[in-house]
Every structure is written in structure tokens, then in C-alpha cells.
Amino acid sequence: MVSVSAESPQVTDVALSQRLERAEAKASAAYVESRAHTAPSLGAEWRDFDGTYAMFDGVGSPLSQTFGFGLFSPPTSVQLETIESFFRDRGAEVFHEVSPLADPAVLGLMAERGYHPIELTSVMRLRLTTDRSPSQRQLAPQLVVRRVEAGGEGVWAETASRGWSETPEAAAFIRDFGTVSARARGTVCFIAAWEGHPVAAAAIAIHDGVALLAGASTILAARRRGAQRALLDARLRFAVERGCTVATMGAAPGSRSQRNAERSGFRIAYTRIKWQLTPPAV
């Protein structure tokens, strides 16, 4: 089903980073378009600033940020100031997810304009091929994975939210995020059910041959039953069938999510830095 070819390894270079970052940027842009459709009063929108995608999903939303700065065009102070104005005009703080393969000049610009790093993300990748037999993992007979069809987005969002029940604030955010995400262009959602009851959720967004995996969560009572492994297999099969050549996902460095991804064959392509503009002193 899926494998990493030893004969033709996937090299981490600027071209690969451009593919991975653009896939995540397009998925985020599609999410913002879905938000604009469902909540037009919010003013959600995105723009392409010479290769840098800037997303506004409302003040305080973790989706209000950029992807790709310095990766698709030479970074300049003028470009950065224009992007900053896009967020300031909407009352939002300024955040950039920056690949370490971006133009080295990015670092100097960030320092000059008062940015500071606030977060690291392990960007994982798995080369997809069709030269391996289907997974031999046997599912428990009570466990069934299915694709969410139109009209089932609410059930998917609720299931994803229940997977965060230990953190009520996060659960509320995931419920709202999932409702919008499930309707975004290019996103396909999957549910794992145990004896007919939804217990786990996950999603995949496909853009230009890259499969972005996201939205994985399992309700507390159903963990360690193989639901997420089954959802991963289903999504990767789906990606291969749609002609994808690489799968990607993001995880906190050293986290359980990263370890689980590595056990499934994913490898770290690079570690991305999230930068925040420090507000001027009053």
C-alpha cells in the first residue's frame, strides 16, 4: 500500500519544502474560504503576497498566520511590512510559520522587525508508492472505518471534539474548527466506529499530489483499540488512489504524535519555526 523507496529516497531540499508548505497553505486557505462562507460577518479571507499565503480567520484564531515566507520569493522589508499591515488592519497579531529552507535573509529580517520565535513543529513526510502489499494489520471485528459523506460533517466534528474532552477549552475549539474544516475544499474526513458508534476522527487534505494528514483524535474510552492506525491506513490508501506521491503532517517535537508517525514510517523532513511580531512598547 505505502512504502518508502530505498532506491529513490526523498531528499529534503527547497523543492520538497515548497511542496509541503504550499499544501498546508492551500489547505489553510480552503479552510478560511469555508469560514467566510459559514460566517461572513467575521471577515475571514486570505491573500497571496508573492508566494506567501496570509490567512485571517478572526482575531485570536491559530489559523490567522502565514505560510511560505521567504520560500517562494526573496524576502524583503517591503513585503513583510505589507503582510503585517494585512493583519494589523484586521486587529490581529502577526505570526509566520517559516521553513528552515527559506532564504537565510529571513532570519535577519525577523530580528530587525522585532519578531521572536514561539513554537517549533516537526514537519513529517512519507513517500507514497503502490509497490507494497496492503496492510497486514487486522482490525477488530467491532471496528469499522468509513469516509464521511455530505451531511455527516456535524457527527465528524462532534467525534473529533470528544477526543479532546479532557481539555474543555480545546474541545470547544475543535468542535468549531471541525465543523468548518469538514466543509473545506479538498478536505476529506473519516470516522472510525466501534460497534456502530463513532469513536475516532481524522481528516486528509489533498493539494497538488501532497496529502496533508490532520484532525486525528479518539475518545478516551476507545483508545488503544487500533482506531487511529486504521484511520491512518484508510487515509493513506485514499491518498495513493488519488495519485498523491507524498504524505505530510505536523507534530510537536518529541511528542506522542511524532513518535506514532515515525512508527508508521514517517520521517522528519525539517523543523519549522513559528515567529510572532512583538508589539511595540506603549
Side-chain angles (χ1 to χ4, degrees), residues 92-166:
E93 294 186 270
V94 185
F95 299 93
H96 304 276
E97 293 271 13
V98 179
S99 165
L101 281 82
D103 191 313
V106 168
L107 296 177
L109 283 172
M110 291 293 170
E112 291 171 7
R113 298 191 67 84
Y115 284 86
H116 64 280
I118 61 168
E119 186 176 286
L120 298 175
T121 299
S122 294
V123 177
M124 317 285 289
R125 57 102 178 105
L126 173 71
R127 187 181 181 209
L128 301 179
T129 71
T130 57
D131 61 0
R132 197 178 96 180
S133 60
S135 172
Q136 299 301 310
R137 287 194 289 268
Q138 296 297 315
L139 298 181
Q142 304 96 320
L143 184 64
V144 176
V145 173
R146 62 178 174 82
R147 178 179 171 181
V148 176
E149 302 297 338
E153 298 90 352
V155 173
W156 184 87
E158 181 61 28
T159 303
S161 172
R162 289 175 62 203
W164 291 83
S165 60
E166 304 100 308

Side-chain angles (χ1 to χ4, degrees), residues 21 49 51-53 66-77 79-81 83 96-99 101-103 105-107 109-110:
E21 295 299 308
F49 293 98
T52 299
Y53 278 29
T66 76
F67 285 98
F69 182 64
L71 193 58
F72 296 90
S73 62
T76 66
S77 294
Q79 181 190 26
L80 197 51
E81 185 172 352
I83 294 171
H96 304 276
E97 293 271 13
V98 179
S99 165
L101 281 82
D103 191 313
V106 168
L107 296 177
L109 283 172
M110 291 293 170

Side-chain angles (χ1 to χ4, degrees), residues 27 44 47 49 51 136 163 190 195 201 221 274:
R47 292 187 188 176
F49 293 98
Q136 299 301 310
F190 290 81
E195 296 182 340
K274 186 170 186 175

